[in-house]
Amino acid sequence: MLANAKEIEFDAVSPKNFYLFLYDEVLMKYKEMFEYCSRLDVSKEIVAPGRRDYDELNELLLQIHEKYNIDMNVNYAQLYLWQKCFLEKTNDEAILAASYLVKFCVMADCILDSTRFSEKQKKYVCKKSNLLLRQTDSKGEFPELDRLLSGFLNYMHMQKDDVFFSKEILKKTLRKAFQSEIYMYKSKIDFSEDLKGKNLSLLVDKSIEFEKVAFIVSLYGNNNETSVLAAELLGKVFWLVDDLCDFIDDIKTGRKNSLLIYCADKETFGSFEERLANVFKNMNRAAKELESTLRKLRNYVDEPFFCFLAVHIWNWFEPVRVAVQSNER
C-alpha cells in the first residue's frame, strides 16, 4: 500500500504533469496579459544606439560565437526601455557598460555549464570571476572574457558613487552572484542530502543579483529608491521563471534547482523521490510568488517595459507551451 502511494505521488512529478502545471498556473493565468502585451508595439519606443562602440561589442560577440559556439546578442531594447522608466534622456554609454557586464556573466555561465570545456578551463573562469572587479590582462585563457570585463570596468572607473547603490555595494553584490555561480557549477544533487537544510541564497543569487546589478548599472549615478527596488523585483522574476522552466531538466541531469528548497516543507523526510513529490505538491508556492512579484513590479515600471518583459517571459515558456499543446512530453 505504501509502495503504491509512493509511486502515485512520484508520478505527480512526471514531465507531463509538471508542464501541465506550468501551462495552467502560469501561462493560462496570464494569458490575457500576454496577449495584450504582444499586441502592443513597443518597437516604436526604441531609438537605435548612436555609438559605434556597439559595433565593436557585436563584433566581439560574433568572434565568441565562431570560436566557442556561444551565442549571445546585445539586449539593447530591454535596457533602453528600462532607462526610459526612470530617465528623461537615455544614456547609451551606461547601457553599453551594462551589456558588457551581462555578456561577461553569460559567457562565464555558458563555459561552466558546458561539457565542452575542461575542468582546468572552468577553474580558470572561476578564478577570473572571483577577481571580477580587478583588471586583468587579455593574454591568458579566454581573452574575450577580459575584453568584456574591460568594457564594464572602464565605464565604472569613470563614475562617481551612486547614492542609492555605491560601488562597494555593487562589488559585494557581484561577489555574491559569482559565489552562487561557482557553487552551482561545482555542486550536483546528492540524492541522500537534506536539501531543506541548504542555503537558498547560494542557489538563487546567480540569477537575482546578476540581473539586479545589470539594470542598476544601466542607471548608474541616476538610481533612486524605486529603481533599486524594481531591479530587485526584476531579478526575482528572472530567477523564478528560469528555475520553473528548467526544473525537470535540472532534476534529470542532477543539477541543483532552487525550487527543491524553496518549495519544500520545513520537515521533509523519506527518499529523494518522496521529497521530490513533496516539492511538487508545493510548487504553486513558486507560481504565486511569480504572480506577486510581477504585480509589484508593474507598479514601478511603465507599460512599454512591462509588456516587453511579459513577451520575453511568454517566449521563455515556449517549450512548455509547445509540449502541452502537442502532447509530446
Side-chain angles (χ1 to χ4, degrees):
M1 186 70 178
L2 284 175
N4 290 336
K6 174 182 169 183
E7 289 170 7
I8 293 171
E9 194 175 18
F10 180 57
D11 183 60
V13 202
S14 68
K16 174 181 178 179
N17 286 329
F18 184 74
Y19 292 148
L20 282 171
F21 161 78
L22 291 181
Y23 188 80
D24 291 338
E25 297 301 320
V26 179
L27 291 175
M28 291 301 99
K29 185 172 288 187
Y30 306 141
K31 185 179 179 182
E32 289 186 10
M33 177 189 77
F34 287 136
E35 289 178 344
Y36 170 79
C37 288
S38 65
R39 292 194 299 269
L40 187 69
D41 182 14
V42 300
S43 62
K44 61 185 179 183
E45 303 285 337
I46 302 168
V47 177
R51 298 176 60 87
R52 293 186 61 184
D53 298 347
Y54 284 91
D55 294 333
E56 294 179 14
L57 176 55
N58 282 317
E59 183 178 339
L60 175 57
L61 297 182
L62 180 60
Q63 293 171 7
I64 291 171
H65 174 69
E66 293 174 347
K67 187 174 180 180
Y68 305 109
N69 195 29
I70 296 174
D71 192 16
M72 297 186 290
N73 297 301
V74 178
N75 299 328
Y76 177 82
Q78 182 170 252
L79 291 169
Y80 178 88
L81 290 171
W82 171 260
Q83 278 194 352
K84 289 197 70 177
C85 295
F86 304 99
L87 298 178
E88 291 184 9
K89 184 179 180 181
T90 55
N91 181 349
D92 276 354
E93 194 175 6
I95 294 176
L96 183 65
S99 299
Y100 270 106
L101 173 62
V102 169
K103 298 313 160 188
F104 175 89
C105 298
V106 171
M107 183 176 177
D109 181 67
C110 288
I111 293 170
L112 294 178
D113 280 353
S114 175
T115 57
R116 295 184 294 109
F117 300 98
S118 68
E119 286 302 308
K120 182 179 179 181
Q121 289 175 310
K122 292 180 179 182
K123 288 179 181 178
Y124 182 87
V125 171
C126 289
K127 182 179 179 181
K128 189 178 292 292
S129 299
N130 275 326
L131 299 175
L132 179 63
L133 296 184
R134 289 172 52 187
Q135 188 69 58
T136 56
D137 61 57
S138 57
K139 297 179 181 178
E141 191 104 39
F142 304 116
E144 297 81 5
L145 276 174
D146 289 293
R147 290 178 61 188
L148 291 170
L149 181 56
S150 294
F152 163 63
L153 289 180
N154 290 342
Y155 176 78
M156 291 304 300
H157 288 329
M158 295 185 294
Q159 307 306 308
K160 296 179 180 179
D161 261 359
D162 191 304
V163 174
F164 288 87
F165 210 86
S166 70
K167 291 182 183 180
E168 187 59 31
I169 294 176
L170 187 145
K171 186 187 300 185
K172 289 179 180 179
T173 304
L174 283 172
R175 187 172 292 121
K176 281 176 58 182
F178 272 106
Q179 286 173 347
S180 171
E181 180 75 58
I182 293 168
Y183 171 80
M184 292 293 282
Y185 143 64
K186 292 182 177 180
S187 302
K188 300 295 182 183
I189 292 177
D190 179 348
F191 288 85
S192 63
E193 73 177 329
D194 178 11
L195 294 173
K196 186 59 190 175
K198 299 300 178 183
N199 186 347
L200 181 63
S201 66
L202 280 173
L203 281 73
V204 305
D205 283 350
K206 61 172 286 188
S207 297
I208 294 178
E209 304 299 347
F210 276 148
E211 296 293 342
K212 179 175 75 175
V213 166
F215 287 97
I216 285 173
V217 167
S218 73
L219 291 172
Y220 208 77
N222 295 288
N223 279 290
N224 54 41
E225 189 175 349
T226 300
S227 67
V228 173
L229 177 57
E232 179 80 33
L233 292 170
L234 195 53
K236 284 187 68 175
V237 168
F238 281 108
W239 154 53
L240 288 163
V241 173
D242 189 37
D243 276 15
L244 281 167
C245 287
D246 290 348
F247 185 76
I248 292 295
D249 285 342
D250 284 347
I251 300 304
K252 286 181 177 179
T253 56
R255 291 194 300 267
K256 287 185 176 176
N257 185 295
S258 68
L259 302 184
L260 288 171
I261 296 176
Y262 185 76
C263 295
D265 287 330
K266 290 183 179 179
E267 299 293 336
T268 307
F269 302 101
S271 67
F272 182 84
E273 288 85 353
E274 290 171 316
R275 287 181 286 145
L276 186 60
N278 170 263
V279 167
F280 182 70
K281 180 187 72 174
N282 298 320
M283 194 60 71
N284 205 42
R285 190 178 299 167
K288 288 181 177 178
E289 184 66 22
L290 176 59
E291 180 181 10
S292 172
T293 306
L294 282 170
R295 191 186 313 115
K296 292 175 185 176
L297 179 63
R298 196 165 195 171
N299 293 326
Y300 297 121
V301 297
D302 62 17
E303 186 176 68
F305 178 82
F306 188 83
C307 281
F308 185 92
L309 174 66
V311 171
H312 179 62
I313 292 173
W314 179 259
N315 292 336
W316 208 333
F317 277 101
E318 182 179 10
V320 174
R321 194 167 62 252
V322 171
V324 171
Q325 292 174 345
S326 65
N327 291 319
E328 295 178 3
R329 298 179 282 277

